Amino acid sequence: MGMGAAVPGNRGAGDLGGEGRWGSPRGAGRAALQIRLSWLCGSDSVPSLVVVLAASIVSKSGKALVSRQFVDMSRIRIEGLLAAFPKLVGTGKQHTYVETENYIALLNMRKVPEYSPSLDEEGICKTAFELIFAFDEAISLGNKENVTVQQVKQYCEMESHEEKAHKLMMQAKINETKDIMKKKANELDKMRMERGKLDKGGYSSISGPRVIEKTFSDMSISGTGFGSGSGLGGLSTDMDSFASKPKGRAPAAAAAPGKGLVPSRSASLAPSDPVTVTIEEKLNVVVKKDGGINNFDVQGTLALQVLNDADGFIQLQIENQDIPGLSFKTHPNINKELFNSQQILGAKDPNRPFPSGQNETPLVKWRIQGMDESSLPLSVNCWPSVSGNETYVNIEYEASEMFDLHNVVISIPLPALREAPSVRQIDGEWKFDSRNSVLEWSILLIDQSNRSGSMEFVVPPADPSTFFPISIGFSASSTFSDLKVTGIHPLKDGNPPKFSQRARLITANYQIV
């Protein structure tokens, strides 16, 4: 509604004359648009001396959707004028303007669709700033500007040759940077291929250190391995390859730079011995809160690290505990007959050494399935109960005697809370993550002295299902398979190199649901 200057007299409402209409032609639920854009853009139907107090768009009920004041007026004043306007218009009639003792209201909605295609309340509110900018281009200090609709549209779009040139220049720089990155990537790939070809008939290796992104406790083993033909490469150590269905990840062999056994990951600690063996098992466990197991899966990997080329001519003698459901999968170029008959890990070609460097090379992986609930390293029970205006939650854990667990963290989801829960009793430490609304119960070590423990806390009334699923994380220095290297056999004359080994059991996914 474009409100003009105070004009004496009350001549009532003028007819629309086909120029605009109150409301939207699409239905009564549309917003009523009350603004004379045609006059603001140069029409001579109204004297030019009239000063516009405000340009507004209101609904039929008088609710202000957009309002731009051009003179000093209080908010209460402008809202009062807008609220009274629908009563003056009435129903069943169409108007181009309405005049009262205090102001003249000019109406026309023909130009509003230029800026707000949707003529309802939601559409007007979404384009409020575009409409206000259009008002400012058409009206200056309450006086109309001598501009056309196309000029207003052009000014609002703010087309600038300099801006376009700047954007083109920035896009050219981005494209140039992408081209440089592609060239660098191609150069690196060629370097890797050349390194693989340098080793004629032997293993190729990349001895340079790689970036260590994770600690030993949460490293994932996935990388390249032995090749085909005369080289070694193509071993995918993705544990999901044991399963019958893929997980959607690209095979590790797709990234192999060529022939040769390429180490897959960096060691977390700098080795001090010529040969280091790393044995790692990961747990994937889903336990039902009412008892029973949805999933209990153990996946393991043995990786080798050799510091010097001369120490790569070796074979590893291993042994493991014979447990049901244990199955091994060796590298394609490892001597499978030797492994199956004598449990010795060695290459098919004894004249080719294992790669050397600062990175570990996976040689064999295994999987254990079919274990029951009694084999779980850690069991957790949660008992929430509502009493009055509070929910009491009792949680207890019970650890197996098979393992000593380190850095145990039990994460319990909570309802949205303003303050931390009231912890009444706890064996260990606790921390409240307010951002994720999770209570973390931490026990540094679970051994013979504390195979069981409990915690009790109180929160406002909540549904018992709110406290699930419970996530658990821990590590142990022994494994289910108890696989270990008992000795190293040199393939050339001389004493076997000194070696060390480390074993670790970690949780990949351990939940109570």
Side-chain angles (χ1 to χ4, degrees):
M1 176 175 65
M3 290 188 285
V7 177
N10 185 357
R11 291 179 292 181
D15 294 333
L16 178 63
E19 199 173 348
R21 70 176 59 244
W22 170 258
S24 170
R26 296 186 182 181
R30 302 288 182 159
L33 308 178
Q34 308 169 29
I35 177 168
R36 175 74 174 185
L37 285 183
S38 61
W39 169 70
L40 296 178
C41 295
S43 173
D44 295 330
S45 60
V46 177
S48 59
L49 296 178
V50 173
V51 177
V52 178
L53 303 180
S56 306
I57 301 177
V58 300
S59 64
K60 285 186 176 182
S61 62
K63 176 184 177 182
L65 305 179
V66 178
S67 183
R68 179 72 167 102
Q69 281 68 253
F70 299 99
V71 297
D72 188 12
M73 296 177 63
S74 65
R75 178 175 177 176
I76 296 178
R77 171 66 173 159
I78 189 64
E79 288 181 345
L81 295 176
L82 295 178
F85 177 71
K87 300 177 182 178
L88 300 175
V89 176
T91 58
K93 294 183 180 181
Q94 300 176 347
H95 311 283
T96 56
Y97 70 91
V98 175
E99 181 181 350
T100 70
E101 295 180 356
N102 297 319
Y103 60 89
I104 299 175
L106 307 173
L107 296 86
N108 197 323
M109 58 169 281
R110 286 189 300 117
K111 304 304 179 183
V112 174
E114 294 281 347
Y115 307 95
S116 179
S118 179
L119 300 181
D120 54 10
E121 183 173 337
E122 182 180 0
I124 295 297
C125 292
K126 284 183 177 180
T127 57
F129 286 103
E130 287 79 2
L131 291 168
I132 290 175
F133 295 153
F135 294 161
D136 288 342
E137 295 295 337
I139 304 173
S140 177
L141 299 177
N143 299 309
K144 70 172 185 176
E145 294 285 347
N146 188 21
V147 292
T148 64
V149 175
Q150 292 300 326
Q151 287 176 328
V152 171
K153 187 175 182 181
Q154 182 179 3
Y155 296 157
C156 291
E157 290 178 351
M158 295 185 295
E159 294 186 357
S160 170
H161 175 73
E162 290 78 6
E163 182 182 2
K164 290 181 179 179
H166 176 73
K167 289 182 178 180
L168 290 175
M169 183 175 63
M170 293 300 296
Q171 186 61 41
K173 290 183 178 180
I174 292 173
N175 294 336
E176 182 181 359
T177 303
K178 289 181 178 180
D179 292 338
I180 294 175
M181 293 173 62
K182 288 180 180 179
K183 292 180 181 179
K184 292 291 185 182
N186 292 334
E187 291 177 1
L188 292 174
D189 289 339
K190 290 180 180 179
M191 292 175 61
R192 294 192 185 100
M193 293 292 292
E194 291 175 358
R195 289 181 181 179
K197 293 178 181 179
L198 289 177
D199 184 16
K200 298 178 181 179
Y203 289 98
S204 66
S205 63
I206 299 176
S207 58
R210 296 186 179 181
V211 177
I212 301 174
E213 296 181 351
K214 298 182 179 181
T215 61
F216 179 82
S217 61
D218 59 1
M219 283 194 298
S220 61
I221 301 179
S222 60
T224 60
F226 292 107
S228 58
S230 61
L232 293 178
L235 173 62
S236 171
T237 58
D238 187 353
M239 289 298 139
D240 296 326
S241 62
F242 274 112
S244 59
K245 57 182 180 180
K247 299 294 183 180
R249 289 180 286 182
K259 292 182 179 180
L261 182 60
V262 180
S264 66
R265 61 174 185 169
S266 300
S268 60
L269 299 174
S272 58
D273 296 310
V275 177
T276 302
V277 178
T278 302
I279 300 165
E280 184 177 81
E281 286 185 349
K282 293 183 179 181
L283 283 173
N284 289 279
V285 176
V286 179
V287 183
K288 299 178 183 178
K289 60 183 177 181
D290 297 326
I293 294 179
N294 283 344
N295 182 48
F296 191 170
D297 185 42
V298 182
Q299 300 171 352
T301 302
L302 182 147
L304 175 68
Q305 182 181 13
V306 180
L307 293 183
N308 304 313
D309 292 337
D311 296 325
F313 294 93
I314 56 175
Q315 292 179 339
L316 307 180
Q317 178 69 60
I318 68 171
E319 67 176 24
N320 63 275
Q321 189 177 12
D322 187 14
I323 57 177
L326 173 63
S327 59
F328 286 95
K329 187 174 183 180
T330 60
H331 190 280
N333 280 19
I334 288 289
N335 192 329
K336 295 183 180 179
E337 294 182 1
L338 185 63
F339 176 79
N340 293 331
S341 61
Q342 303 180 41
Q343 285 194 309
I344 294 178
L345 283 172
K348 288 182 179 179
D349 185 357
N351 295 320
R352 302 177 61 185
F354 287 110
S356 61
Q358 296 293 328
N359 303 297
E360 295 176 349
T361 303
L363 300 181
V364 64
K365 54 186 177 181
W366 60 92
R367 190 172 188 178
I368 306 174
Q369 291 181 302
M371 292 189 292
D372 55 21
E373 194 170 1
S374 62
S375 301
L376 288 174
L378 187 67
S379 300
V380 175
N381 293 316
C382 180
W383 303 88
S385 59
V386 180
S387 178
N389 294 326
E390 294 179 325
T391 299
Y392 291 82
V393 182
N394 292 274
I395 300 180
E396 60 180 1
Y397 73 81
E398 186 173 353
S400 169
E401 295 185 357
M402 293 169 37
F403 304 98
D404 289 343
L405 307 180
H406 302 268
N407 301 319
V408 181
V409 178
I410 303 173
S411 301
I412 306 103
L414 302 179
L417 301 176
R418 294 184 178 179
E419 299 178 354
S422 174
V423 178
R424 303 290 178 86
Q425 181 271 330
I426 186 171
D427 295 325
E429 303 291 337
W430 67 276
K431 181 179 70 172
F432 176 58
D433 183 356
S434 58
R435 175 175 296 182
N436 299 313
S437 192
V438 172
L439 179 62
E440 295 183 352
W441 179 13
S442 303
I443 305 101
L444 187 61
L445 173 64
I446 297 180
D447 55 13
Q448 295 293 340
S449 63
N450 59 343
R451 290 295 179 190
S452 61
S454 62
M455 177 178 67
E456 180 182 4
F457 63 90
V458 180
V459 296
D463 188 90
S465 61
T466 306
F467 306 99
F468 297 92
I470 298 174
S471 299
I472 305 172
F474 57 81
S475 63
S477 57
S478 56
T479 60
F480 278 93
S481 63
D482 199 22
L483 188 142
K484 64 184 68 175
V485 175
T486 59
I488 290 183
H489 306 308
L491 297 179
K492 292 187 176 182
D493 295 337
N495 297 324
K498 184 180 179 182
F499 76 98
S500 62
Q501 59 182 320
R502 52 195 177 196
R504 180 68 60 92
L505 174 70
I506 61 175
T507 54
N509 179 47
Y510 203 112
Q511 288 188 332
I512 313 296
V513 298

